[in-house]
Amino acid sequence: MHPRTMQAQRAHPQSVHPRTATSDVLVLGGGVIGLVTAWRAAQRGLRTAVVDPEPGGGAAQVAAGMLAAVTELHYGEQTLLALNLASARRYPEFAAELQEASGRELGYRACGTLAVALDADDRAHLRELHALQRESGLDSEWLSGRECRRLEPMLAPGVRGGLRVDGDHQIDPRRLAAALVTACERAGVTFHRQWAQRLTVAGERARGAVLADGTELAADQVVLATGSLSGRLDGVPPDVVPPVRPVKGQVLRLTVPKAYAPFLSRTVRAVVRGSAVYLVPRVDGELVVGATTEDLGWDTTVTAGGVYELLRDAHELVPGITELPLTETRAGLRPGSPDNAPLLGPTELPGLHLATGHYRNGVLLTPVTGDAMAHVLTTGELPEAVRPFTPQRFGAREELEELTV
């Protein structure tokens, strides 16, 4: 091979597409979870490849990027809370490292979150959430409606109270995904920009994958990280197929003109008529409004009803929002699991690992997932913090089918 060709391949590893290739780790899926797994694995010295037709795409293009371990707390999810908090604590160092490794700005903001109530029922619900947060040892402060409006003057006059959570921050998922792609490239990760068609299994062990064009990729270990598609890969034994389902979410993006700035200084969220709504202000003037939660299979249609409901609820929360330009409407699919928690680590099939099922916490759990997967790929052992989320925690496949219906 000519020296210039070799130099070009080293400079652009994503362009290398051999008919057959061997790696230590083959990551199927180039969303933020697959990318962070590949980046961390490559940092550990493992020859790593990623299979995805559009690395950096997927759910990250729709997600709002709330790092909301405290305000996203739900009853019965205390084990998941511990993992969310552990990942949230890693974010400042993780973001700084990734920004340096990629040379890209991530849009990470330590701005805090304000969850507010618009009527008496919402106020009672927030009071219960506050009690649960305090019982769980979390930091949140109850504010009166007047105190909420003092923090965020654009809030509606009818706000009845709220919770100030200074530790729940945000990041721009699109910037995060782009930075991870660059960091992977610089770490020597090879990208195969195609769909994985089938898992290769030989000798009762995962051995790699076959791509859509017939290319055969061999690997010592395979990580299935294709988000909501993780249960649809051919070749995976039926008793190992992850119980992941698609959960649709519609999201809007608006632009805050400079004349309106500052519009909001932090993430604001509420429950309006039983539906959750949030507004996430970016430093570049973008305002993200979301998100619907719809169990509609693989449908990703943006509907007039979904847009209307989001704007209606957001308007009740922040009336001035109707004056802003609407710049984008999108719908995406979250990877839900039976208990709304991720599936991380080895499966019953030797050589096959899962990194999927993160549902609404994929962006938040990016740092801890990358570290955990790199650890298990290099040592064979899951870190203690993620052991409750092993794929083996679920029972027989028949029971899982009942849970996912």
Side-chain angles (χ1 to χ4, degrees):
M1 182 179 292
H2 194 280
R4 288 185 179 177
T5 303
M6 295 178 64
Q7 183 179 9
Q9 289 190 350
R10 284 195 296 269
H12 301 284
Q14 74 277 18
S15 64
V16 181
H17 292 287
R19 294 300 302 173
T20 59
T22 301
S23 55
D24 297 321
V25 175
L26 181 63
V27 180
L28 308 182
V32 292
I33 295 300
L35 291 171
V36 76
T37 297
W39 181 43
R40 290 306 197 195
Q43 286 181 318
R44 298 284 189 102
L46 299 175
R47 294 172 301 162
T48 305
V50 171
V51 175
D52 194 290
E54 189 180 351
Q61 297 301 306
V62 184
M66 294 181 296
L67 309 178
V70 178
T71 49
E72 284 275 346
L73 175 62
H74 287 69
Y75 286 98
E77 294 186 0
Q78 276 76 4
T79 302
L80 179 58
L81 169 65
L83 190 68
N84 287 343
L85 289 172
S87 199
R89 286 192 293 268
R90 299 183 193 199
Y91 240 103
E93 183 178 350
F94 169 79
E97 181 186 357
L98 178 57
Q99 184 167 323
E100 181 177 356
S102 66
R104 289 178 174 266
E105 177 63 45
L106 306 181
Y108 175 70
R109 291 187 65 196
C111 58
T113 296
L114 183 65
V116 302
L118 292 171
D119 59 31
D121 290 341
D122 295 338
R123 189 175 186 273
H125 170 74
L126 267 189
R127 281 290 195 184
E128 292 177 1
L129 177 60
H130 187 223
L132 177 62
Q133 291 168 345
R134 298 299 294 271
E135 291 170 8
S136 303
L138 304 175
D139 291 329
S140 66
E141 178 186 3
W142 179 263
L143 301 180
S144 67
R146 180 178 298 177
E147 290 171 324
C148 290
R149 290 188 295 275
R150 189 177 299 131
L151 278 181
E152 297 294 344
M154 297 300 292
L155 286 173
V159 167
R160 303 287 295 274
L163 291 175
R164 176 177 177 172
V165 181
D166 289 338
D168 278 2
H169 304 313
Q170 62 156 290
I171 196 167
D172 187 333
R174 294 177 174 181
R175 292 173 180 252
L176 171 65
L180 283 168
V181 170
T182 300
C184 283
E185 292 171 350
R186 292 182 175 182
V189 174
T190 299
F191 283 89
H192 300 275
R193 297 176 185 271
Q194 298 185 52
W195 288 109
Q197 187 175 70
R198 185 177 71 254
L199 180 72
T200 302
V201 179
E204 299 185 350
R205 181 180 178 87
R207 301 288 184 180
V210 178
L211 306 189
D213 69 349
T215 299
E216 298 180 7
L217 301 178
D220 295 334
Q221 300 182 85
V222 178
V223 178
L224 182 53
T226 51
S228 58
L229 293 167
S230 296
R232 307 190 82 184
L233 180 66
D234 289 343
V236 179
D239 59 340
V240 180
V241 173
V244 175
R245 73 188 191 283
V247 182
K248 179 181 178 180
Q250 299 187 55
V251 174
L252 315 177
R253 284 178 166 80
L254 301 94
T255 299
V256 179
K258 291 182 179 180
Y260 286 75
F263 191 78
L264 294 173
S265 64
R266 73 200 70 221
T267 298
V268 174
R269 55 192 304 158
V271 175
V272 180
R273 286 183 293 271
S275 298
V277 63
Y278 53 74
L279 292 83
V280 185
R282 306 272 192 239
V283 293
D284 62 0
E286 181 180 76
L287 181 66
V288 183
V289 179
T292 63
T293 300
E294 307 166 61
D295 280 298
L296 295 175
W298 301 99
D299 173 58
T300 55
T301 305
V302 175
T303 64
V307 173
Y308 165 74
E309 291 171 6
L310 287 173
L311 288 176
R312 177 198 63 194
D313 295 347
H315 174 261
E316 289 201 23
L317 185 60
V318 181
I321 198 172
T322 54
E323 302 298 321
L324 304 180
L326 177 61
T327 53
E328 182 179 297
T329 59
R330 290 285 293 268
L333 300 173
R334 311 175 186 91
S337 73
D339 60 2
N340 295 331
L343 291 82
L344 300 173
T347 67
E348 295 290 346
L349 177 66
L352 179 64
H353 302 265
L354 299 184
T356 187
H358 291 70
Y359 190 33
R360 61 181 184 270
N361 294 308
V363 175
L364 170 60
L365 291 174
T366 296
V368 76
T369 296
D371 291 343
M373 294 307 298
H375 186 82
V376 72
L377 289 168
T378 52
T379 70
E381 297 290 333
L382 272 175
E384 185 175 352
V386 302
R387 288 176 188 171
F389 306 99
T390 173
Q392 284 90 341
R393 72 182 183 274
F394 297 117
R397 183 67 189 173
E398 292 77 10
E399 297 174 3
L400 290 174
E401 289 174 351
E402 294 178 2
L403 287 170
T404 54
V405 169

